[in-house]
């Protein structure tokens, strides 16, 4: 799973720095939703555990690349890792997590996928790091 994210000033913690919780949430999403690549768009990951390591400050007002992948799929539980990369390609934040597989119908209204989970029209075909 790959996400492009442009943090804004209102995501700021310290001056010119995106709040660490925003970075953690971004990684939680890309790891938790990476399971969709193996099942379908109605299969989500509900977070059981998330460990985040902050390696560099994350500025706002730039495009960040977040990548999440599945490292272990064991029935109802899966594990994954993810990273956030800065515009210069350097690694800023890493995470590893454990998730429970859930069908969207078990955790939300069935219209959630159609109304809230979408790919923007301008999403690029290819993303390089």
């Amino acid at each position: 799973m790959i996400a492009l994210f442009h943090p804004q000033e209102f995501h700021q913690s310290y001056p010119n720095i995106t709040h660490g919780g925003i970075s953690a949430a971004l990684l939680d999403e890309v790891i938790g939703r990476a399971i969709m690549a193996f099942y379908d768009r109605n299969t989500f990951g509900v977070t059981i555990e998330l460990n985040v390591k902050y390696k560099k400050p994350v500025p706002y007002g730039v495009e960040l690349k977040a990548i999440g992948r599945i490292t272990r799929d064991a029935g109802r539980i899966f594990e994954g890792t993810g990273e956030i990369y800065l515009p210069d390609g350097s690694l800023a934040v890493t995470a590893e997590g454990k998730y429970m597989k859930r069908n969207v119908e078990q955790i939300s209204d069935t219209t959630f996928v159609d109304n809230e989970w979408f790919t923007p029209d301008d999403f690029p075909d290819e993303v390089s790091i």
Side-chain angles (χ1 to χ4, degrees):
M1 172 70 61
I2 297 174
L4 302 178
F5 181 63
H6 298 262
Q8 304 299 310
E9 184 176 3
F10 56 83
H11 295 121
Q12 161 176 241
S13 176
Y14 298 106
N16 301 312
I17 304 296
T18 300
H19 191 285
I22 300 296
S23 297
L26 180 57
L27 287 172
D28 187 31
E29 287 296 311
V30 295
I31 300 168
R33 293 182 186 218
I35 199 69
M36 293 175 167
F38 297 97
Y39 294 91
D40 58 43
R41 66 189 221 136
N42 291 322
T43 302
F44 283 70
V46 177
T47 311
I48 297 171
E49 180 180 309
L50 184 69
N51 298 301
V52 182
K53 293 183 181 173
Y54 301 93
K55 305 201 177 271
K56 288 187 174 183
V58 177
Y60 64 83
V62 298
E63 181 179 85
L64 303 175
K65 294 175 184 159
I67 299 174
R69 72 193 58 73
I70 304 306
T71 56
R72 182 173 180 264
D73 186 2
R76 288 184 357 155
I77 305 298
F78 68 93
E79 297 175 8
T81 61
E83 303 85 30
I84 294 176
Y85 292 92
L86 300 177
D88 67 2
S90 63
L91 182 62
V93 186
T94 64
E96 56 185 37
K98 186 182 290 189
Y99 299 80
M100 180 182 296
K101 268 183 244 155
R102 304 301 280 175
N103 186 287
V104 69
E105 294 174 358
Q106 295 173 295
I107 56 177
S108 183
D109 184 287
T110 56
T111 62
F112 173 79
V113 172
D114 293 330
N115 297 332
E116 303 294 333
W117 176 240
F118 59 92
T119 302
D121 294 333
D122 62 347
F123 195 79
D125 292 330
E126 187 174 296
V127 175
S128 57
I129 297 174

